[in-house]
Amino acid sequence: MILEYEEKLLEIIDSSVESASDDELFAGGYLRGHISLAAADCESEGTDDIDVLKQKIIQSLDDARSELSPADRIVVNDLWEKLQLEA
C-alpha cells in the first residue's frame, strides 16, 4: 500500500508540471524527496500503514523547517495538503 500511495503522490506532482507555477514546481520537487525518503523508511521498517507514511513525511518536513523561508514553507505545506486530498 505504501508503494502505491507514494506512486500516486508522485504522479499527482508530475501531472501538474505543465501548469504549475515556479513556486509549485519548487514545492513539488522538494516534497518528492521527503515522500520518497519516508516511503523508503517505511519499507525498511516493514511498515505498510499509510498513516505512518504521512506522519513520517510530516516529521521530515518539520525537521527541515530551517531549510525553507517562511513563504516557501507555506507553499510546500499547501501542496502537501492538496496532495493528501487528491491521493
Side-chain angles (χ1 to χ4, degrees):
M1 257 180 114
I2 294 283
L3 181 60
E4 291 86 5
Y5 190 72
E6 175 193 16
E7 288 174 355
K8 181 66 176 171
L9 292 172
L10 299 179
E11 180 182 302
I12 294 168
I13 291 170
D14 291 345
S15 70
S16 67
V17 167
E18 290 183 21
S19 63
S21 69
D22 288 344
D23 285 343
E24 291 167 332
L25 289 172
F26 163 76
Y30 188 80
L31 278 170
R32 286 182 72 87
H34 289 275
I35 292 166
S36 294
L37 286 173
D41 194 29
C42 285
E43 185 177 2
S44 71
E45 293 175 358
T47 301
D48 201 31
D49 186 340
I50 290 175
D51 289 332
V52 172
L53 174 64
K54 288 179 181 180
Q55 282 304 111
K56 287 185 178 292
I57 294 168
I58 291 167
Q59 185 62 53
S60 179
L61 291 171
D62 199 42
D63 290 347
R65 286 181 61 106
S66 64
E67 294 179 351
L68 302 175
S69 69
D72 286 343
R73 279 197 305 267
I74 290 170
V75 173
V76 169
N77 286 332
D78 287 350
L79 181 56
W80 171 236
E81 289 180 18
K82 178 183 172 188
L83 288 174
Q84 290 180 84
L85 291 174
E86 291 184 24

